[in-house]
């Protein structure tokens, strides 16, 4: 049994929570599709978490999901045990509601970090296949994974179970990640929204100057459409802002839309919206950042 770490989207020293910038966040959605083989419907993205995570439909395992790359099974988030796959029922004043994408993603991020599956210093993930002496880069192993993924029994792959890595359910500390995610998800979302707003302004400036590289296209109309779509995904929790962005998306996606005209008309409006959001949520960003300062963490540790 071998212990090794592999990278997935993050740089050494980069946290799983509170993404530093939206520009790499936007690019990471496309990278996640390529690295994992999952389409957008099978990915969970959250402004509170730095990476896209796989979506576990109805809490079922991922096995059999179309398109998944065999080597993607090295990552621990592809093997979540039932207790982590399932969404919790959250009691509210209006009744019981299922755990949101944001709360779930933040809970998984805490579990990955807290149980050593993700190492911040190296930006590396524990290679689950290597734990079972399986080489994800070996074509023969990849063929075995493809067969197993499609329903063929394989004693080695059938034996993979990462549940023992996590705190047992009967331990009094087992719910720490859930408690933390529910307590912090709103603050993290708002803090991340401030960062997203700041970088949306930066993206708008780049597009206005003709630099479309961060949006992966040379077509101004497509760049504006993608830019608005990214903003919609980041600010979805704001109904009034969502309505404005939906209107801009409709304008950007008109078949007769002229690229330079869209850049001149839509980009300034989007930048103004983002600037307003940054001013609104920057105090929360400062508070969250301060709570994770070295001085405060040292005080907490004592």
């Amino acid at each position: 049994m071998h212990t090794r770490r592999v990278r997935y989207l993050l740089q050494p020293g980069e946290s799983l929570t509170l993404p530093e910038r939206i520009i790499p966040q936007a690019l990471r959605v496309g990278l996640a599709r390529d690295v994992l083989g999952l389409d957008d419907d099978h990915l969970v993205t959250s402004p509170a978490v730095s990476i896209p995570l796989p979506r576990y439909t109805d809490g079922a395992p991922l096995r059999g999901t179309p398109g998944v790359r065999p080597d993607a099974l090295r990552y621990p988030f592809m093997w979540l045990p039932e207790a982590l796959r399932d969404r919790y029922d959250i009691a509210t004043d209006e009744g019981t509601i299922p755990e949101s994408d944001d709360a779930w993603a933040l809970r998984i991020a805490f579990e990955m970090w807290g149980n050593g599956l993700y190492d911040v210093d190296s930006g590396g993930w524990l290679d689950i296949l290597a734990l079972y002496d399986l080489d994800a880069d070996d074509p023969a192993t990849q063929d075995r994974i493809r067969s197993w993924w499609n329903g063929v029994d394989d004693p080695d792959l059938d034996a993979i179970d990462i549940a023992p890595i996590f705190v047992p359910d009967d331990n009094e500390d087992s719910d720490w990640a859930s408690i933390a995610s529910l307590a912090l998800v709103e603050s993290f979302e708002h803090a991340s929204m401030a960062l997203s707003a700041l970088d949306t302004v930066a993206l708008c400036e780049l597009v206005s100057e003709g630099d479309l590289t961060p949006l992966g296209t040379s077509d101004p109309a497509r760049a504006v459409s993608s830019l608005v779509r990214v903003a919609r995904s980041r600010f979805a929790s704001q109904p009034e802002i969502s309505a404005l962005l939906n209107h801009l998306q409709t304008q950007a996606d008109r078949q007769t839309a002229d690229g330079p005209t869209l850049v001149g008309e839509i980009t300034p409006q989007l930048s103004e919206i983002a600037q307003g959001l940054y001013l609104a949520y920057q105090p929360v960003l400062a508070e969250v950042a301060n709570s994770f300062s070295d001085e405060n963490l040292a005080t907490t540790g004592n």
Side-chain angles (χ1 to χ4, degrees), residues 15-22 24-26 28-29 40 43-55 87 100-109 181 184-193 196 230 232-237:
S15 170
L16 276 177
T17 59
L18 199 58
E20 296 179 4
R21 288 292 182 262
I22 190 176
Q25 276 288 85
R28 281 172 184 161
V29 176
D40 288 354
L43 290 172
V44 173
T45 59
S46 168
V49 176
S50 301
I51 57 169
L53 290 167
R55 182 179 297 279
R87 299 295 180 97
S100 68
D101 278 357
D102 290 331
W104 179 83
L106 193 56
R107 173 163 64 94
I108 298 307
S181 66
L184 296 173
V185 64
E186 184 173 358
S187 294
F188 268 75
E189 181 184 353
H190 289 171
S192 183
M193 200 173 297
S196 296
V230 169
R232 287 173 63 205
S233 71
R234 296 298 170 221
F235 309 132
S237 63

Side-chain angles (χ1 to χ4, degrees), residues 5 22 28 35 40 46-47 60 77 119 139 148 169 189 234 237-238 241 260 270 276 287-288 294 297:
R5 290 194 176 269
I22 190 176
R28 281 172 184 161
V35 173
D40 288 354
S46 168
F77 48 75
D119 177 65
W148 178 78
D169 290 340
E189 181 184 353
R234 296 298 170 221
S237 63
Q238 306 295 305
I241 299 300
L270 181 57
E287 181 180 347
V288 170
D294 291 340
L297 289 175

Side-chain angles (χ1 to χ4, degrees), residues 120-277:
V120 175
D121 291 338
S122 66
W125 297 81
L126 188 65
D127 187 331
I128 299 303
L129 293 178
L131 286 178
Y132 289 82
D133 295 324
L134 295 168
D135 182 359
D137 297 317
D138 179 13
T141 299
Q142 293 179 5
D143 287 342
R144 286 177 59 187
I145 291 172
R146 290 189 186 94
S147 296
W148 178 78
W149 200 252
N150 291 324
V152 177
D153 292 338
D154 186 297
D156 293 327
L157 293 167
D158 286 335
I160 295 178
D161 179 14
I162 70 170
I165 295 175
F166 300 93
V167 177
D169 290 340
D170 57 357
N171 187 297
E172 62 181 9
D173 296 326
S174 63
D175 286 339
W176 74 272
S178 176
I179 294 169
S181 66
L182 290 174
L184 296 173
V185 64
E186 184 173 358
S187 294
F188 268 75
E189 181 184 353
H190 289 171
S192 183
M193 200 173 297
L195 288 172
S196 296
L198 186 63
D199 282 336
T200 298
V201 174
L203 279 171
C204 287
E205 291 178 358
L206 290 175
V207 171
S208 296
E209 294 168 358
D211 183 357
L212 311 180
T213 305
L215 292 160
T217 182
S218 59
D219 179 3
R222 180 173 295 180
V224 172
S225 178
S226 297
L227 180 55
V228 176
R229 187 170 292 107
V230 169
R232 287 173 63 205
S233 71
R234 296 298 170 221
F235 309 132
S237 63
Q238 306 295 305
E240 293 183 2
I241 299 300
S242 290
L244 289 173
L245 295 178
N246 289 341
H247 176 66
L248 293 182
Q249 189 77 71
T250 300
Q251 291 181 306
D253 290 344
R254 292 197 312 267
Q255 292 184 352
T256 58
D258 172 70
T261 300
L262 291 178
V263 171
E265 292 181 352
I266 292 181
T267 304
Q269 295 181 65
L270 181 57
S271 181
E272 184 177 352
I273 292 170
Q275 290 177 55
L277 286 169

